Every structure is written in structure tokens, then in C-alpha cells.
């Protein structure tokens, strides 16, 4: 039986494969508390990232592959770092330079250790089946979300991974969590009661749900696109703006960019397209700035 979650996923991924970004996109930071905004002099430094390499075939990885438990894992940044970011990739898996370059950007720009475990163990959803514009492709996508990519399964896997991260990387004192697309849903589910991370981020999130926002216990970052439901994004924004948890209410950020598409910061982006590259850069600058703030807090993660 096809689950509600898998039907939502099919709806997201059945949209246009790409849309050229435009300058007049909608950007709504949440919330606009002046005490949480960077000063003008610090802003430029906070938003600086390495140059983005357009030719993904020629991109030279800055990290390497290791194993955490039985999971092949991309690791980038110093293992002596005091801060770390656990990344949950999109349904296309670990082998896309666009995603790995993003991890390298985060690691170098935040001076953090960044790890991306291969939760699908080398068997992700094939990107060749996209967009799912036939009944057969939609059926395959629904079955993938109901099977290997069922969010509760990965939530459990992350729970098992948490003590292993602490053991393998003892120098890291504060961990953040982030996910792309499907990984954003998993991230949201992990950001409620008992969350061991200092903050969490959803990038062009699939299956975004206002109920997840209501359960947040850590500062949260949402970067949605024109392919994510506008009404749901506004509901999430409203819940976060009025959240009972002060840290969630004052240190979170919700944006919806109308000019770009679902997947623009991960596997689906074509960085040879100038406008897509511009949005990729812009997105990582926003994310890096937020991560630097949340990882720089005095609160320590519970890992």
C-alpha cells in the first residue's frame, strides 16, 4: 500500500526538473529580531564561502571516505574541530559532486567536521528516473519512499549513529544536523524532544509538515523553494515565530525562494548553468551564516 508520505514525495519530485532562478525571489527571514542579526562589518566575513566549481566532473573532493559502523561515510574538515555537522543527503545518495562540494563548503566555511553517512548503502534512487513523469516512474518512487527511504527507518539509524559519532570524533563538542529534500524530513523528525543537536536545517525539504515545526526543541533553519507548498511554508513560519521555546523562536530562520527549484543545493543542480550556480552559492552563504551562529552558541549538544 502506498503511504501518505510516499504520495507527498511523488508530488514534490514530479514537478519541473529545473527552473532558472530570478533576482526577484521571495526571501522572508524568521524572525527579524535585531539582536540576532549580524553587524555590517561581520556580515561579509560570515557569508564568505570558497569559489564554487561549476564543472562537477572535475571537482576535487576536499574530504575522504571512511566508515562509521557499517556505513560508508564522506568526511570533510578537521577531526580536531570543536563543532560538527551531520548531513542527511537526498534520495539520490552519496555520489554526487554537487552534494559533496556543499559539504566541503560547510566544513571550510564553519571550521567544522562534516559527515555524510550512506544510509542507503549504495542503493539510492536512480536520478535517471527523474522527473517521475510516467506511472511507472511514479510507482517506483512511491515504493522507494515506502521502503528504503521511509523516514522512520532513517530516524532510527541516526539514533544508533549518535553514540558512534561521539566515540569516533571526541573533539567535537557541538553537533548540528541538516538534510536535503527527503533528508530534510528526517531532520525535522529528529529535531523534537530529546534532540541531541544544537540546531537543525532543512534544505528544499520534502514532506514539510507544520506538526514537525510545533515539536521543535532546537533552533531550526528552513530554505524552501517554489516547489514546496507555499501554505505549508507559511504555517511553519507562523509556528516558529510564535514558538513557546525561546531559542526556537528567536534563533530560527524560514525562507521561501520563488526563483529556484527543489534540489538546487544538492544532486539535481546543474552548476554549469550560471543562474543555478548563483542560487547554489546564495543558498550556501545563508546556510553557512546560520550554522556559524548556532554552532557558536554556548549550548552543547547532548551527543
Amino acid at each position: 500500500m502506498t503511504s501518505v508520505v510516499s504520495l507527498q514525495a511523488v508530488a514534490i519530485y514530479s514537478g519541473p526538473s529545473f527552473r532558472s532562478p530570478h533576482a526577484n525571489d521571495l526571501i522572508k527571514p524568521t524572525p527579524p529580531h535585531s539582536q540576532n542579526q549580524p553587524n555590517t562589518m561581520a556580515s561579509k566575513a560570515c557569508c564568505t564561502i570558497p569559489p564554487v566549481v561549476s564543472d562537477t566532473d572535475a571537482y576535487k573532493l576536499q574530504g575522504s571516505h571512511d566508515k562509521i559502523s557499517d556505513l560508508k561515510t564522506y568526511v570533510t574538515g578537521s577531526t580536531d574541530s570543536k563543532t560538527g555537522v551531520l548531513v542527511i543527503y537526498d534520495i539520490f545518495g552519496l555520489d554526487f559532486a554537487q552534494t559533496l562540494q556543499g559539504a566541503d563548503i560547510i566544513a571550510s566555511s564553519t571550521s567544522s567536521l562534516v559527515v555524510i553517512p550512506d544510509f542507503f548503502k549504495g542503493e539510492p534512487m536512480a536520478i535517471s528516473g527523474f522527473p517521475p513523469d510516467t506511472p511507472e516512474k511514479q510507482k517506483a518512487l512511491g515504493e522507494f519512499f515506502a521502503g528504503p527511504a521511509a523516514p522512520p527507518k532513517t530516524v532510527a539509524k541516526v539514533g544508533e549513529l549518535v553514540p558512534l559519532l561521539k566515540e569516533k570524533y571526541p573533539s567535537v563538542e557541538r553537533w548540528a544536523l541538516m538534510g536535503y529534500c527527503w533528508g530534510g524530513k528526517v531532520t525535522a523528525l529528529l529535531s523534537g524532544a530529546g534532540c541531541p543537536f544544537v540546531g537543525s536545517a532543512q534544505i528544499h525539504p520534502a514532506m514539510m509538515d507544520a506538526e514537525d515545526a510545533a515539536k521543535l526543541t532546537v533552533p531550526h533553519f528552513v530554505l524552501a523553494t517554489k516547489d514546496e507548498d507555499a501554505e505549508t511554508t507559511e504555517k511553519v513560519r507562523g509556528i516558529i515565530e510564535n514558538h513557546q521555546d525561546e531559542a526556537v523562536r528567536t534563533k530560527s530562520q524560514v525562507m521561501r525562494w520563488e526563483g529556484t527549484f527543489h534540489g538546487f543545493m544538492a544532486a539535481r543542480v546543474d552548476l554549469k548553468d550560471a543562474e543555478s550556480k548563483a542560487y547554489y552559492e546564495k543558498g550556501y552563504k545563508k546556510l553557512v551564516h546560520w550554522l556559524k551562529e548556532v554552532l557558536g552558541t554556548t549550548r552543547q549538544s547532548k551527543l
Side-chain angles (χ1 to χ4, degrees):
M1 180 180 293
T2 304
S3 68
V4 172
V5 165
S6 60
L7 289 172
Q8 291 174 334
V10 169
I12 278 287
Y13 287 98
S14 295
S17 294
F18 296 98
R19 175 175 172 177
S20 295
H22 302 287
N24 296 323
D25 56 350
L26 176 65
I27 305 176
K28 291 185 179 180
T30 303
H33 299 293
S34 59
Q35 67 266 32
N36 295 315
Q37 300 304 313
N39 62 47
T40 303
M41 294 185 66
S43 181
K44 184 175 180 180
C46 285
C47 293
T48 299
I49 63 172
V52 172
V53 177
S54 301
D55 186 354
T56 51
D57 292 331
Y59 180 69
K60 184 177 180 181
L61 297 178
Q62 302 302 300
S64 60
H65 291 90
D66 198 354
K67 270 206 166 186
I68 302 178
S69 184
D70 62 340
L71 298 178
K72 179 182 178 181
T73 302
Y74 183 67
V75 181
T76 182
S78 173
T79 56
D80 293 327
S81 296
K82 298 294 185 183
T83 57
V85 182
L86 172 61
V87 177
I88 305 176
Y89 53 33
D90 59 23
I91 61 171
F92 306 115
L94 192 61
D95 296 328
F96 283 85
Q98 300 96 313
T99 305
L100 300 183
Q101 183 172 182
D104 290 339
I105 289 170
I106 293 167
S108 62
S109 302
T110 65
S111 300
S112 298
L113 178 70
V114 179
V115 298
I116 313 180
D118 185 9
F119 290 111
F120 296 144
K121 297 185 177 181
E123 297 184 359
M125 188 73 197
I127 201 167
S128 60
F130 280 75
D133 50 9
T134 68
E136 292 77 17
K137 290 179 180 179
Q138 291 175 7
K139 180 175 182 291
L141 180 62
E143 290 176 347
F144 187 74
F145 269 88
K153 290 184 178 180
T154 306
V155 168
K157 290 177 182 177
V158 173
E160 295 169 359
L161 202 63
V162 163
L164 301 181
L165 288 173
K166 182 176 181 179
E167 179 181 344
K168 192 171 183 69
Y169 307 114
S171 293
V172 178
E173 298 173 353
R174 298 179 298 282
W175 284 91
L177 176 69
M178 62 165 285
Y180 303 99
C181 310
W182 160 84
K185 177 64 175 180
V186 177
T187 294
L189 294 175
L190 285 159
S191 301
C195 178
F197 304 95
V198 297
S200 59
Q202 293 178 275
I203 309 302
H204 34 76
M207 301 165 284
M208 186 164 44
D209 193 334
E211 290 187 9
D212 296 336
K215 297 175 183 177
L216 291 170
T217 60
V218 294
H220 195 62
F221 179 95
V222 178
L223 179 45
T225 73
K226 56 94 180 175
D227 290 324
E228 281 75 63
D229 183 69
E231 183 178 350
T232 300
T233 306
E234 287 305 310
K235 286 181 179 178
V236 168
R237 185 196 314 282
I239 288 170
I240 288 177
E241 285 180 338
N242 297 285
H243 206 282
Q244 62 181 0
D245 186 296
E246 182 180 2
V248 174
R249 188 172 65 250
T250 62
K251 298 182 183 299
S252 297
Q253 191 171 22
V254 179
M255 294 173 285
R256 186 172 190 267
W257 289 357
E258 293 282 355
T260 191
F261 57 91
H262 180 84
F264 80 99
M265 286 173 66
R268 297 177 71 211
V269 66
D270 178 7
L271 291 175
K272 292 180 181 178
D273 177 86
E275 291 180 307
S276 294
K277 179 183 176 182
Y279 262 92
Y280 182 91
E281 292 175 331
K282 184 178 180 180
Y284 275 103
K285 286 179 180 179
K286 288 285 186 181
L287 175 62
V288 161
H289 176 66
W290 184 84
L291 283 171
K292 289 177 76 170
E293 288 197 336
V294 77
L295 287 169
T297 62
T298 56
R299 176 185 173 183
Q300 290 192 353
S301 58
K302 300 172 186 176
L303 270 66

